[in-house]
Amino acid sequence: MTEKKYYITTPIYYVNGSPHIGSALTTLCCDTLSRYHRMRGEKTWFLTGTDEQATKVYEAAEKVGKSPKEFVDALAAEFKSAWSNLHIENDDFIRTTEPRHVRGVQEFFSRLRDSGDIYRGMYEGWYCVSDETFFRDTDVQEDHLCPNAECRKPLRRVQEENYFFRLSAYAEPLLHHIEENPDFLQPDFRRNEVISFIQQGMRDMSVTRANNGWGIPVADEPDKVIYVWFDALINYVTAAGWPDDMERFQELWPADTHLMAKEIFVRFHATLWPAMLMALKLPLPKQVYAHGWWVGSSGQKEGKRTGGLPHPTEFSAEIAQLTGASKDIAVDSLRYLLLREMQFHGDSEFNYDNFLRRYNTDLANDLGNFCNRTCNMVGRYFEGATPDGIVDPEISGLGTEVLADYDNALKEFRFNGALEAVWRLVSRMNRYVEEKKPWTLAKKGETTELASTLRTCLEAIRVMATLLHPVMPFASRSLLEQIGADHIPKFEWRDAGNWCLLKSGAKLPEPQPIFPRIQDTKSEEPAKGGNSVKQEKKLSEETIKPVQKEESPETTATAESETITIEDFMKIQLRIADILAAEPIPNATKLLKLTVRIGEETRTILAGIAEMYQPEELIGKQIAVVANLKPRKMRGIESQGMLLAADVEGQAILLHPETKVPSGSRVR
Ligand code: MSP
């Protein structure tokens, strides 16, 4: 017998509109989990696809004057390319118009009709096309709008001879199964919703509709088509080979995880689907898991319905444009941001500016800078070769804790928790560099300590890359390349707990910043309103003020002997700035180019301090600057301010506030 694979599925998406970051979220979560299981050495199978036989799909095609087939072909292709652009590595993609699915659905239906679980009856009631759901008279108010508060679209009156599925017969067995298997429906609070839904009484369900030219016909009664939800749920088994390839089916079924958002959990995935499987005497999926929604601004739960959320491909292209990062790094950044900003179990409001802000803090500053600084120092102090040294046990000890937290978080589908755990290590390592001061060790000639410090930093980057691999498959590879670890052919889970894997002496390439900073994000107040990329972009442009160049007072040097009035002094705007980046300027021995943040602004300042300071020791420091000095160009670069330093025999010693203060604080 072949080994059972870890089988994970997304819902199959309706092709009545384009993908957006909402549908991308479920797909990305499944991709991340499947990569994580693969990294742990398990065989995995990740299925996604498109739901194409729905009335609303047919009507959407009609609206744009296309044949339904032509319409669904184009949209299915768009979904496929959106997922491949998002670095999604699914093993299969099922379309419900494919023969393998059509045949399986007809067979499923016939077998249940033969066993008596599907029977003929008269249906009279209401149908919501938007939700593709039947409602009884007693469910509906006088306004005849969909009772689902998130929908409220006009209902259609339906009266037809239909087939019914004996759902009511499975209420008790289902309750029993839920009780016996607490992990079956997750998270817990959603399982409780299901239990009360079943306890309120599950009625038999109409599972056919009159054939209006679209849908899977009942094999021997082509005037009827199978209800789209009954058809769609079956994709999970037809894609696994049922009923024709039972060998493959044994390898995959039961699914380990069906993942979806909350709105299709209670009625469909947690009740109808298991009841259908019970009726056919097939094992139930091991786990059915529901997450919350990405919603538009002001809490409108409309993202799912209107598609008012950005398209993932457009959004990542925009990140690439804003940052100057490669397309693949921008895609991985979006993957990170979608999982990091999402409160998985509840709804999360999408906010474009928050995404960009987090890109700068987490990726450009914390992770990117740490990697870049480390590689630069290895370049400077060890001629770019991996130093041999003992890894600091405090850091590898933290690594062990992080690993356990990461693992527990992913087991509970807390993607942001797993990433937070990795960032505990990232933050610690940034502080570690500050504490160890490799530049001082180098000056003092303490080579052994220097080698151990930098070796610890390099191994930490490798561990981070391993843990980040399921979320950022491309960027994690770039991190390995930067630290000269090309000899590691693939990411393996056990490497995340190993702190001695790099090859001493291995050469590092020329350091490149992997996540270039976005220069223009507003850093403090989260922006409000607007939920599409374009709207939010506009909002950002309105709210991000260009560098304020207030009416510049004459700042020509005052002779040292002259006194000035307090009013004169007040004309000089002295501010505290954070140094975000520092780099040498080619062919300039004294000048360093600093990128500083002064409150909400990011500026470039050139300073003649290269003889006293190494660039990497400046990052993260706070300094005092003259913020309203007229900008001037030096070596082709505009310097937008001046820093304050004590002049000790011609050497500049920087002034720092005694304790950390908010960026942009005034100095008086
Ligand atoms: N076709 C059905 C599913 C059949 S599965 C047998 C369907 N399709 S859908 O296109 O509406 O997709 C719904 C799913 O897409 C959600 O359950 C969720 O997984 C994902 N999402 C769509 N919009 C979303 C958000 N705004 N936020 C989070 N997930 C979202 O229902």
Side-chain angles (χ1 to χ4, degrees):
M1 223 180 96
T2 32
E3 191 190 334
K4 163 89 177 71
K5 287 183 174 156
Y6 173 81
Y7 179 28
I8 183 165
T9 68
T10 72
I12 46 173
Y13 302 107
Y14 287 131
V15 284
N16 59 337
S18 297
H20 49 68
I21 59 156
S23 33
L25 176 79
T26 319
T27 317
L28 173 58
C29 291
C30 288
D31 187 58
T32 299
L33 288 171
S34 134
R35 288 175 188 273
Y36 162 73
H37 281 270
R38 210 176 311 144
M39 201 164 82
R40 302 199 65 135
E42 289 170 60
K43 290 194 170 163
T44 60
W45 195 258
F46 164 23
L47 170 72
T48 187
T50 42
D51 190 353
E52 306 186 359
Q53 307 276 12
T55 309
K56 63 174 164 187
V57 171
Y58 180 75
E59 293 185 355
E62 254 184 350
K63 237 189 208 165
V64 292
K66 283 194 178 169
S67 78
K69 184 74 178 84
E70 193 190 351
F71 184 74
V72 296
D73 282 350
L75 272 161
E78 190 184 336
F79 270 85
K80 279 187 184 171
S81 81
W83 298 157
S84 119
N85 288 340
L86 194 60
H87 297 162
I88 300 292
E89 227 177 52
N90 48 303
D91 297 288
D92 194 0
F93 188 103
I94 189 158
R95 299 180 53 184
T96 57
T97 45
E98 285 173 47
R100 63 170 167 162
H101 179 71
V102 172
R103 140 120 187 86
V105 169
Q106 288 174 331
E107 180 67 18
F108 204 116
F109 188 92
S110 303
R111 290 199 195 177
L112 291 195
R113 195 175 52 183
D114 292 348
S115 70
D117 270 308
I118 285 183
Y119 63 92
R120 201 184 274 273
M122 193 65 193
Y123 180 78
E124 181 162 8
W126 299 92
Y127 192 74
C128 172
V129 174
S130 178
D131 275 354
E132 300 284 2
T133 304
F134 290 100
F135 293 101
R136 281 188 315 184
D137 286 331
T138 47
D139 296 330
V140 174
Q141 293 170 352
E142 273 177 15
D143 56 12
H144 300 150
L145 298 180
C146 178
N148 174 2
E150 314 284 3
C151 175
R152 303 300 286 152
K153 298 242 165 63
L155 296 170
R156 292 185 191 171
R157 187 76 187 159
V158 184
Q159 187 183 22
E160 54 197 23
E161 198 198 36
N162 280 358
Y163 278 102
F164 285 79
F165 171 55
R166 214 177 284 285
L167 184 58
S168 57
Y170 293 95
E172 278 310 314
L174 204 51
L175 277 177
H176 182 71
H177 184 84
I178 295 171
E179 262 166 39
E180 294 289 299
N181 299 277
D183 286 341
F184 173 48
L185 302 178
Q186 282 293 322
D188 288 350
F189 71 97
R190 296 211 190 273
R191 178 181 55 227
N192 296 339
E193 283 175 45
V194 176
I195 293 174
S196 54
F197 176 76
I198 300 176
Q199 284 168 340
Q200 278 164 25
M202 284 204 307
R203 281 162 282 119
D204 292 354
M205 183 183 253
S206 173
V207 288
T208 57
R209 308 200 55 208
N211 188 348
N212 291 326
W214 193 241
I216 299 182
V218 175
D220 49 3
E221 285 181 65
D223 63 321
K224 294 186 178 53
V225 290
I226 294 168
Y227 169 46
V228 67
W229 265 105
F230 195 84
D231 135 23
L233 288 162
I234 296 173
N235 91 87
Y236 301 129
V237 293
T238 53
W242 191 89
D244 294 327
D245 185 351
M246 291 310 279
E247 199 180 320
R248 194 165 112 81
F249 187 64
Q250 302 297 341
E251 206 188 339
L252 293 174
W253 198 257
D256 293 82
T257 306
H258 288 321
L259 187 67
M260 76 231 50
K262 58 187 182 179
E263 83 289 350
I264 55 175
F265 181 67
V266 177
R267 267 173 191 269
F268 299 113
H269 283 84
T271 50
L272 174 61
W273 177 228
M276 286 164 65
L277 289 166
M278 279 178 170
L280 209 65
K281 302 197 171 25
L282 286 176
L284 303 197
K286 289 190 194 149
Q287 189 166 65
V288 183
Y289 207 109
H291 60 74
W293 281 354
W294 269 118
V295 295
S297 60
S298 6
Q300 301 148 9
K301 312 252 184 309
E302 61 176 16
K304 172 182 155 69
R305 290 177 196 289
T306 62
L309 297 166
H311 192 294
T313 311
E314 282 174 20
F315 196 5
S316 61
E318 193 152 356
I319 294 177
Q321 202 197 354
L322 285 169
T323 57
S326 70
K327 173 186 156 291
D328 288 321
I329 291 291
V331 165
D332 274 14
S333 303
L334 177 59
R335 288 172 62 108
Y336 170 79
L337 296 168
L338 279 171
L339 294 182
R340 184 63 187 77
E341 285 281 299
M342 176 77 189
Q343 297 305 320
F344 200 60
H345 295 134
D347 291 341
S348 300
E349 189 178 317
F350 171 69
N351 182 305
Y352 179 78
D353 281 348
N354 286 351
F355 269 54
L356 298 190
R357 199 171 291 117
R358 191 177 282 284
Y359 170 90
N360 264 358
T361 52
D362 290 13
L363 298 176
N365 290 358
D366 295 349
L367 177 62
N369 254 349
F370 168 61
C371 176
N372 201 239
R373 262 177 117 176
T374 301
C375 296
N376 272 315
M377 290 191 278
V378 173
R380 186 163 306 123
Y381 306 132
F382 293 96
E383 291 170 355
T386 306
D388 194 4
I390 296 169
V391 168
D392 190 326
E394 184 238 294
I395 300 297
S396 54
L398 173 67
T400 310
E401 282 172 30
V402 162
L403 195 61
D405 290 351
Y406 174 98
D407 213 19
N408 287 335
L410 268 200
K411 281 194 182 116
E412 292 165 9
F413 293 51
R414 287 183 293 108
F415 295 88
N416 53 356
L419 292 170
E420 264 164 37
V422 180
W423 254 256
R424 264 179 34 224
L425 182 61
V426 175
S427 309
R428 177 69 194 103
M429 291 315 295
N430 274 304
R431 274 186 289 118
Y432 187 73
V433 172
E434 291 303 315
E435 288 163 14
K436 287 284 176 182
K437 298 189 178 27
W439 46 92
T440 309
L441 296 175
K443 261 186 214 161
K444 289 191 195 154
E446 293 181 16
T447 329
T448 313
E449 181 69 3
L450 179 64
S452 290
T453 303
L454 291 182
R455 178 64 179 245
T456 306
C457 293
L458 288 171
E459 294 283 0
I461 295 169
R462 188 191 48 71
V463 168
M464 290 166 193
T466 312
L467 294 178
L468 290 175
H469 171 69
V471 177
M472 300 203 276
F474 185 91
S476 54
R477 197 28 68 196
S478 303
L479 286 168
L480 281 197
E481 279 162 15
Q482 283 286 292
I483 58 166
D486 291 341
H487 61 281
I488 299 174
K490 62 175 184 159
F491 288 97
E492 292 192 63
W493 180 248
R494 58 164 186 238
D495 294 350
N498 182 343
W499 280 77
C500 187
L501 205 67
L502 295 173
K503 274 194 194 149
S504 303
K507 271 285 188 196
L508 273 61
E510 192 57 32
Q512 299 288 340
I514 299 182
F515 302 102
R517 265 186 78 78
I518 306 170
Q519 293 300 334
D520 264 357
T521 51
K522 220 169 41 85
S523 55
E524 250 81 61
E525 285 297 300
K528 295 199 171 52
N531 59 9
S532 73
V533 169
K534 286 200 181 69
Q535 269 174 302
E536 291 276 2
K537 177 76 194 311
K538 196 160 153 264
L539 180 98
S540 308
E541 281 162 0
E542 280 162 10
T543 50
I544 297 168
K545 296 192 184 64
V547 177
Q548 291 283 328
K549 307 225 172 53
E550 292 169 16
E551 278 307 294
S552 174
E554 277 309 312
T555 48
T556 40
T558 313
E560 270 182 32
S561 55
E562 280 176 29
T563 53
I564 58 165
T565 62
I566 185 79
E567 286 76 25
D568 288 335
F569 174 70
M570 293 304 278
K571 287 181 189 165
I572 304 173
Q573 288 186 10
L574 295 175
R575 293 263 201 275
I576 295 299
D578 286 294
I579 303 183
L580 302 175
E583 52 190 290
I585 298 174
N587 305 324
T589 47
K590 294 198 174 154
L591 280 183
L592 284 185
K593 180 179 157 201
L594 307 181
T595 307
V596 301
R597 196 175 57 216
I598 311 175
E600 293 184 359
E601 296 170 17
T602 304
R603 294 202 196 174
T604 302
I605 293 183
L606 302 189
I609 53 172
E611 286 171 340
M612 286 302 286
Y613 296 92
Q614 297 293 343
E616 58 273 7
E617 71 186 284
L618 293 168
I619 297 165
K621 292 240 156 71
Q622 292 201 309
I623 49 169
V625 299
V626 180
N628 60 342
L629 195 64
K630 204 177 203 158
R632 76 175 175 124
K633 266 199 173 172
M634 287 183 269
R635 297 189 174 256
I637 306 170
E638 186 178 81
S639 180
Q640 301 154 332
M642 186 178 92
L643 51 74
L644 297 189
D647 183 341
V648 183
E649 293 168 5
Q651 302 283 18
I653 308 290
L654 289 174
L655 300 189
H656 305 296
E658 195 218 346
T659 139
K660 186 125 180 136
V661 299
S663 170
S665 299
R666 293 191 73 118
V667 178
R668 295 163 199 259

